[in-house]
C-alpha cells in the first residue's frame, strides 16, 4: 500500500498501484449521464487518464484545464479522460463552465482501488496520471507525492508520444 501526503499529512492509499508493462486493471466509471464506461471502451487507442481528488478545487481545476487544452492537439488515436469521485452533476457543471472537450467520469471508488489511488480516509482519489497503450497495458504512471501539487505535465504529455 502506497502513501502520499495531502496538505503535509500522510495518507494511505487503498489498493495496489499497477506496474508499468502489465495489463492495466479493468475498471468501470460513470459518464455524465450515468452510463457505464469501461477500459474496453478505449480498446485500440492510447488512453490518457488524468485523476483528480475534487474537480471543484483550484489545483484540480488547473490540472483539468491543462489536460483539456493539451488534448485539443492530440490525434484521434489518443483518448483523454479525467476521473474524479465527484458526483456526476458536479463534473458536468465543471465541464460546461470550462468548455471541456474531454469527458469527465465519476468513480465511486472502484477505479481508485484497482489503480491503488483511493484515499479511503478522505473518500477521494489521489492526484495521478495513467497512460494505457492501445493493447490495454499500463505504459506510464505518475502518482503525485503531495496531493496538493500539480503533476509533471511535460513528462506525462511527452510519454504519450513515446507510447504511440
Amino acid at each position: 500500500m502506497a502513501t502520499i501526503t495531502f496538505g503535509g499529512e500522510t495518507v494511505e492509499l487503498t489498493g495496489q498501484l499497477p506496474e508499468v508493462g502489465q495489463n492495466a486493471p479493468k475498471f468501470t466509471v460513470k459518464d455524465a449521464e450515468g452510463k457505464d464506461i469501461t477500459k474496453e471502451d478505449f480498446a485500440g487507442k492510447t488512453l490518457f487518464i488524468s485523476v483528480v481528488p475534487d474537480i471543484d478545487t483550484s489545483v484540480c481545476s488547473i490540472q483539468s484545464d491543462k489536460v483539456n487544452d493539451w488534448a485539443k492537439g492530440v490525434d484521434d488515436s489518443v483518448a483523454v479522460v479525467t476521473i474524479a469521485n465527484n458526483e456526476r452533476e458536479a463534473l458536468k457543471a465543471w465541464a460546461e463552465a470550462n468548455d471541456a472537450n474531454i469527458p469527465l467520469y465519476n468513480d465511486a471508488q472502484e477505479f481508485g482501488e484497482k489503480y491503488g489511488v483511493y484515499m479511503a480516509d478522505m473518500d477521494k482519489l489521489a492526484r495521478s496520471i495513467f497512460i494505457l497503450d492501445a493493447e490495454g497495458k499500463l505504459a506510464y504512471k505518475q502518482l503525485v507525492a503531495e496531493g496538493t501539487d500539480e503533476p509533471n505535465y511535460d513528462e506525462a504529455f511527452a510519454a504519450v508520444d513515446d507510447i504511440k
Side-chain angles (χ1 to χ4, degrees):
M1 191 176 310
T3 62
I4 63 166
T5 58
F6 202 95
E9 299 292 321
T10 300
V11 177
E12 284 193 8
L13 304 179
T14 302
Q16 183 69 35
L17 279 167
E19 293 299 321
V20 170
Q22 73 178 186
N23 284 328
K26 293 182 179 185
F27 63 84
T28 302
V29 291
K30 300 276 187 190
D31 72 5
E33 307 308 317
K35 178 184 171 204
D36 285 349
I37 304 296
T38 67
K39 173 186 159 189
E40 290 74 23
D41 289 322
F42 303 99
K45 292 186 176 238
T46 299
L47 176 59
F48 185 102
I49 304 170
S50 173
V51 182
V52 298
D54 184 345
I55 196 69
D56 291 324
T57 61
S58 62
V59 177
C60 295
S61 187
I62 291 167
Q63 177 178 338
S64 299
D65 274 334
K66 287 184 179 182
V67 169
N68 188 58
D69 288 344
W70 169 77
K72 292 174 184 174
V74 300
D75 64 46
D76 62 2
S77 70
V78 179
V80 181
V81 304
T82 292
I83 297 177
N85 63 343
N86 293 81
E87 295 296 324
R88 292 188 319 269
E89 294 77 17
L91 296 172
K92 190 174 186 177
W94 187 92
E96 289 171 0
N98 292 277
D99 197 27
N101 64 317
I102 62 172
L104 282 75
Y105 297 128
N106 164 267
D107 174 51
Q109 167 178 349
E110 177 192 336
F111 176 89
E113 288 182 346
K114 288 185 174 182
Y115 281 73
V117 295
Y118 181 63
M119 300 183 290
D121 290 346
M122 299 175 70
D123 191 30
K124 305 257 181 234
L125 302 176
R127 188 175 318 285
S128 49
I129 295 174
F130 296 94
I131 305 174
L132 283 55
D133 68 16
E135 287 78 44
K137 290 188 179 194
L138 184 63
Y140 175 88
K141 68 179 177 182
Q142 181 183 153
L143 175 62
V144 179
E146 166 53 55
T148 60
D149 290 344
E150 292 179 63
N152 182 331
Y153 303 107
D154 292 339
E155 180 183 283
F157 297 158
V160 171
D161 292 331
D162 294 340
I163 294 162
K164 292 189 339 173

